[in-house]
Amino acid sequence: MLGFYKKSLLIIAVCCAVVTAPGCNAEQSDNELEKETAATATAEAATPEPTASTEAPATERSADLPDFAQLVVIYGGLGLVDAHNHDASGKQYQRMEESWSRYKVRNIVLFGDASDHSAIMTDFFSWDAYQSNLDLYIPYFLGFDLHDPECVNVIKDNLEKGYSVWAR
């Protein structure tokens, strides 16, 4: 059973890395991504194998590993959860919604800024995102100072409102 969880975590980590990789953004259409992938595969196939080298080997994807699109087809029904996302800062989450939908992300645990006074404002953005789509966003808050005795009131009020919390 433990092996299943480790494998699931690996799959989630790979999916998150691919979603956030440069070139995989909301402005890039599926056709552009397919063309880019095909061009890369053609270029890689045409490149001769290097001879022995003293350089450290580059990290390469094994041919037997599925690409991200295949992972989405295979595991998309499980409901991927982006469990740590700071895109509440500047309401950046809005630019990701199309990608999350395309890649079958079921929930986003949405944070804002951390360890900064601006976290109070980004907590509001996280809450706004949650109010806009209750089924997608799980709002977290970080806009409180644990050293301030009054933070207990902020935490209490936010928890009663419906936020989740991550204590630093």
Side-chain angles (χ1 to χ4, degrees), residues 61-80:
R61 207 173 127 263
S62 173
D64 61 337
L65 292 178
D67 64 14
F68 185 67
Q70 291 169 320
L71 289 172
V72 170
V73 170
I74 295 168
Y75 298 105
L78 295 176
L80 178 64

Side-chain angles (χ1 to χ4, degrees), residues 7-31:
K7 187 175 182 180
S8 297
L9 285 173
L10 175 63
I11 291 167
I12 290 169
V14 169
C15 292
C16 290
V18 173
V19 167
T20 60
C24 292
N25 59 44
E27 290 88 33
Q28 188 174 28
S29 71
D30 288 337
N31 288 340

Side-chain angles (χ1 to χ4, degrees), residues 90-107:
K91 294 189 175 185
Q92 296 177 52
Y93 62 88
Q94 293 171 333
R95 68 178 168 76
M96 292 299 298
E97 288 176 341
E98 184 180 320
S99 292
W100 289 327
S101 176
R102 183 177 344 133
Y103 297 122
K104 300 180 182 177
V105 177
R106 183 181 62 206
N107 298 102

